[in-house]
């Protein structure tokens, strides 16, 4: 293999040739009438050389061929630095999985096709099939077909380990995603730019962290004009690369086409004619495809002649020296025309400053440790760009990261944008397990292009949007700052875009201890968020998302296969995959609350023999949830052993407990009811609400003041006094939800009665609401009493009396809190 012509590798969403990106700009080539009788379906070497010369001038760097190429053909392609993707032909379609002879012949055919040119530097990879009929996939079921494709991929790798493998899919079977494939590819002939754009966004999210290419796309110049073909292909190239696909293969290079012993005369998809005369499309594509190593921002400028806005990249670091050098080096290599990098060192005690000194072009701000949010705000204040982008010191940005973020941000009515964070290859087996463990930072999508949340290590904002919400909340010192900002932007009516191609590589934690410390920080952040955004949380304190959570760890569907819409009788042209929501029961059985209940029943079963089987069943269910996660998780092949799976089982079971414990401890240490305000006599209200009557308040307005004005005034008062509260988002039946203590919260409802002359009476319902912790303790107490009363009546009487006294005190505390809030109102 030549050092200047290395094999192509797939890394996350893109292909690489050595350390440089390889954007697939391909064409299909053939099959042709053989130049010699019984020869391969390729033209003569002279004609091939002529074709390759024209392709090289256009910027074509890959050929998709439909028959095993002879060695001389591969050598010629290598001479012109053009790669080859071979479609391995096989034709038996009817119930082939039931025919052992057909399977054996197919496996042998795959081996021979790969073995013919194994290791040749021009070989890009292999398509192990092309457009398997949807009714055949429906007959066998997608999982069985995926297993079959996985086996074919394994055969290819055995013969040529460096070759890339895929299957030329199409919309009718878009749901096929064999895990062994290096990339996913689709034959798509959508001529409407808007529909193509929307469909490519969908394919990108279906593919997860793997590259996506279009393996066929084109237009016939018999039924359409050459100018129509040129316009379509030019638009298609821009759409493909602006959506972050790894490339596209146009169908086809020439109008010359021979198949099944017949020259095809009634189709003309070529960029050149049969006699190799370039069509209008050839000349239209040349400005964007020529010199494929040019930065995408240069080849595909923003539409409507807009300039690329200046971006300030802010990196906040606290003792991030182990990975900071990689981070700053990647940012120095961004292919973006106008950006600056700002490092905010938040009081690091390691050699962060020493590393920063190696990058004089980076603006280095050193401050005392004040937490992540303050550091982000310092970066915003120092930023001179129209857009502020954030990444972390343990991340490395892809060269086109900013280009994809900015293109998405400027493409619609977005205030912010984000992208995926993908783990680089693990350096040891522990890191490989941590990478596959639950709880990694993830993006959450509402649609294929809009997000509910983007991770803090990969997000960008218009500076005006951050100013509108007063930047990041300093309360979030470690985590949660990104969630808070996203929710506040959404509450202000803004949208957050998502670009699947705006990739950052995010180092996962290197040790189990560091992983658990990260999960503890996330649990603490969730409780802090709950104080501020109660409407987004369930009774146990875990966030309730409207969108779909995209886990970074690859999961193999096991019990909850996605739903597939096949169309009536399986005839749908776009047979769409709909993922099932995660089971709420799995979350319950793995939760800290379930563990506490299981341990309580275990303790109760010691004196009560009849209960001894119950805790075993309860803990067994938790174990089954962990085993289910381990069975679905995809570990890097070289680290996939029994030991790593056992460690992953431990992390999968313990992670919800560690995160839940941090949530509860933070929640229980949370703010208490503010003291009664001390106001000068002149500012005291003329009449305070009564203690028992503070649940229903009424206010008369001669001027017809709306109840919304009262709610605004209440919100200002609660802010000043230090209450924590959430505001109705339009999905609730209350106006304000006020956190009072770990035992009680309050919900305010308002209603207006309109009288003559537009006078109004506004009523306020100030209702006590039992907290989830109170409910949990009540349930536990009820179980204790139910178990103890029949066995120990005397002890039970004492317990009931004590519980009654505690209940009275608990109720009085709630009523006092309600009265305190009524005074504020």
């Amino acid at each position: 293999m030549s050092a200047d012509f290395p094999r192509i590798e797939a890394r996350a969403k893109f292909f690489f040739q050595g350390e440089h990106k390889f954007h697939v700009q391909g064409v299909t080539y053939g099959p042709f009438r053989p130049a010699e009788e019984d020869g391969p379906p390729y033209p003569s070497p002279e004609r091939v050389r002529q074709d390759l010369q024209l392709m090289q001038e256009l910027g074509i760097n890959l050929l998709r061929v439909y028959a095993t190429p002879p060695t001389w053909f591969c050598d010629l392609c290598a001479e012109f630095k053009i790669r080859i993707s071979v479609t391995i032909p096989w034709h038996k379609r009817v119930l082939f999985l039931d025919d052992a002879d057909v399977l054996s012949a197919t496996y042998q055919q795959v081996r021979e096709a790969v073995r013919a040119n194994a290791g040749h530097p021009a070989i890009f990879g292999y398509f192990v099939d092309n457009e398997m009929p949807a009714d055949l996939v429906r007959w066998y079921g997608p999982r069985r077909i995926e297993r079959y494709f996985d086996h074919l991929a394994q055969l290819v790798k055995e013969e040529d380990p460096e070759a890339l493998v895929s299957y030329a899919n199409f919309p009718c079977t878009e749901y096929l995603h064999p895990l062994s494939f290096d990339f996913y590819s689709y034959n798509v002939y959508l001529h409407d730019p808007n529909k193509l754009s929307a469909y490519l966004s969908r394919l990108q999210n279906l593919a997860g962290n793997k590259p996506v290419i279009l393996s066929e796309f084109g237009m016939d110049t018999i039924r359409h004009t050459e100018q129509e073909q040129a316009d379509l292909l030019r638009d298609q190239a821009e759409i493909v690369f602006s959506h972050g696909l790894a490339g596209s293969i146009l169908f086809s290079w020439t109008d010359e086409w021979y198949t099944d012993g017949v020259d095809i005369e009634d189709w003309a998809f070529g960029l050149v004619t049969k006699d190799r005369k370039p069509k209008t499309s050839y000349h239209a594509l040349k400005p964007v495809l020529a010199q494929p190593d040019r930065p995408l921002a240069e080849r595909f400028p923003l539409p409507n002649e807009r300039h690329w806005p200046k971006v300030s990249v802010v990196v906040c670091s606290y003792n991030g020296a182990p990975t900071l050098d990689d981070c700053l080096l990647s940012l120095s290599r961004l292919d973006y025309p106008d950006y600056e990098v700002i490092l905010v060192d938040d009081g690091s005690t390691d050699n962060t400053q020493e590393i920063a000194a190696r990058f004089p072009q980076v603006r280095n701000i050193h401050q005392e440790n004040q937490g992540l949010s303050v550091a982000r705000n310092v970066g915003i204040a120092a930023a001179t760009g129209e857009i502020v982008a954030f990444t972390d010191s343990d991340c490395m940005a892809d060269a086109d990261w900013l280009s994809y973020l900015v293109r998405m941000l400027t493409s619609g009515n977005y205030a912010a944008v984000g992208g995926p964070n993908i783990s680089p290859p693990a350096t040891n087996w522990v890191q490989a397990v941590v990478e596959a463990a639950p709880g990694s930072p993830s993006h959450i999508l509402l649609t294929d292009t809009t997000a509910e949340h983007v991770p803090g290590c990969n997000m960008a904002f218009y500076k005006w949007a951050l100013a509108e919400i007063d930047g990041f909340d300093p309360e979030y010192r470690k985590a949660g700052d990104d969630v808070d900002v996203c929710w506040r932007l959404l509450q202000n009516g803004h949208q957050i875009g998502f670009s699947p191609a705006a990739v950052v590589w995010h180092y996962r934690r290197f040790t189990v201890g560091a992983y658990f410390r990260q999960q503890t920080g996330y649990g603490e952040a969730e409780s802090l968020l709950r104080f501020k955004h109660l409407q987004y949380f369930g009774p146990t304190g875990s966030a309730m998302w409207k969108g779909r959570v995209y886990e970074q760890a690859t999961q193999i569907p096991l019990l909850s296969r996605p739903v597939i819409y096949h169309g009536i009788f399986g005839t749908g042209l776009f047979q769409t995959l709909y993922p099932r929501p995660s089971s709420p029961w799995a979350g319950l059985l793995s939760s800290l609350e379930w563990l506490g209940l299981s341990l309580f029943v275990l303790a109760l079963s010691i004196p009560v023999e009849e209960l001894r089987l119950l805790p075993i069943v309860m803990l067994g269910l938790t174990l089954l949830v962990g085993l289910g996660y381990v069975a679905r998780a995809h570990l890097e092949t070289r680290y996939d052993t029994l030991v790593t799976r056992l460690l992953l089982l431990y992390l999968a079971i313990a992670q919800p407990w560690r995160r839940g414990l941090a949530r509860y401890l933070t929640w229980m240490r949370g703010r208490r009811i503010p003291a009664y305000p001390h106001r000068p006599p002149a500012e005291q209200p003329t009449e305070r609400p009564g203690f028992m009557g503070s649940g229903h308040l009424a206010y008369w307005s001669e001027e017809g003041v709306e109840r919304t004005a009262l709610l605004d005034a209440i919100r200002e008062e609660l802010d000043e006094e230090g209450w924590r509260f959430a505001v109705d988002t339009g999905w609730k039946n209350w106006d304000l939800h006020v956190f009072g203590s770990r035992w009680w919260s309050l919900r305010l409802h308002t209603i207006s009665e309109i009288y003559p002359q537009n006078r109004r009476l506004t009523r306020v319902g100030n209702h006590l609401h039992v907290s989830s912790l109170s409910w949990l303790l009540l349930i536990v107490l009820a179980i204790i009493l139910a178990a103890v009363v029949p066995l120990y009546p005397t002890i039970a009487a004492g317990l009931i009396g004590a519980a009654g006294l505690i209940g009275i005190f608990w109720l009085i505390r709630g009523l006092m809190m309600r009265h305190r809030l009524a005074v504020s109102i």
Side-chain angles (χ1 to χ4, degrees), residues 386-399:
E386 178 184 346
I387 296 169
V388 184
F390 294 92
T391 190
D392 293 341
S393 58
D394 57 355
C395 294
M396 297 175 291
D398 177 76

Side-chain angles (χ1 to χ4, degrees), residues 171-233:
C172 294
T173 55
E174 67 168 29
Y175 45 81
L176 292 175
H177 295 107
L179 290 175
S180 297
F181 283 1
D182 297 295
F183 64 99
Y184 296 121
S185 57
Y186 300 86
N187 301 339
V188 178
Y189 290 86
L190 280 173
H191 290 175
D192 183 318
N194 293 327
K195 291 180 179 178
L196 177 64
S197 179
Y199 192 58
L200 295 190
S201 295
R202 172 174 175 76
L203 294 182
Q204 278 281 50
N205 290 320
L206 284 177
N209 294 341
K210 291 190 177 182
V212 180
I213 69 168
L214 295 188
S215 39
E216 283 184 14
F217 184 93
M219 177 180 275
D220 174 32
T221 55
I222 293 177
R223 296 159 185 82
H224 301 270
T225 66
E226 284 195 18
Q227 188 60 52
E228 285 179 306
Q229 184 198 46
D231 292 340
L232 174 72
L233 297 188

Side-chain angles (χ1 to χ4, degrees), residues 593-620 657 780 783-784 787:
E593 294 80 8
W594 183 261
L595 173 66
L597 186 60
S598 300
L599 294 178
F600 170 72
V601 175
L602 177 63
L604 203 61
S605 68
I606 295 174
V608 183
E609 185 176 349
E610 291 79 3
L611 295 177
R612 288 180 184 172
L613 182 62
L614 184 57
I616 297 174
V617 173
M618 295 174 71
L619 291 171
W657 298 347
V780 170
I783 294 173
I784 292 175

Side-chain angles (χ1 to χ4, degrees), residues 8-30:
I8 303 299
E9 299 177 23
R11 302 176 197 164
K13 301 295 291 183
F14 301 103
F15 300 116
F16 285 82
Q17 178 176 283
E19 294 305 313
H20 301 284
K21 260 188 185 176
F22 181 84
H23 296 287
V24 170
Q25 298 182 169
V27 290
T28 63
Y29 194 67

Side-chain angles (χ1 to χ4, degrees), residues 243-285:
H243 279 69
L245 270 71
S248 176
I249 301 173
L250 299 178
F251 186 89
S252 61
W253 169 246
T254 172
D255 290 342
E256 182 182 351
W257 189 17
Y258 174 87
T259 185
D260 293 331
V262 177
D263 290 308
I264 305 301
E265 302 290 348
D266 59 343
W267 279 12
F269 279 81
L271 301 180
V272 299
T273 63
K274 290 183 178 181
D275 58 2
R276 299 332 192 242
K277 179 183 176 182
K279 295 182 182 179
T280 305
S281 56
Y282 180 96
H283 301 292
L285 288 169

Side-chain angles (χ1 to χ4, degrees), residues 681-732:
E683 296 181 15
Q684 292 287 352
T686 56
E687 194 176 311
R688 280 198 172 193
F691 186 81
M692 296 305 295
S694 58
H696 296 279
L697 310 173
Y699 303 96
W700 178 261
S701 172
E702 291 285 342
E703 294 80 17
V705 176
E706 297 279 358
R707 65 187 180 89
T708 52
L710 175 62
L711 285 169
D712 289 339
I714 293 173
R715 290 170 61 184
E716 290 181 14
E717 183 74 13
L718 297 182
D719 270 331
E720 288 180 11
E721 294 183 359
W723 292 87
R724 285 303 206 177
F725 61 93
V727 182
D728 174 32
T729 58
W731 298 89
K732 304 297 181 181

Side-chain angles (χ1 to χ4, degrees), residues 813-824:
R813 289 289 296 173
L815 293 173
M816 290 175 62
M817 185 181 72
R818 186 182 68 175
H819 182 256
R820 170 65 188 86
L821 181 59
V823 170
S824 295

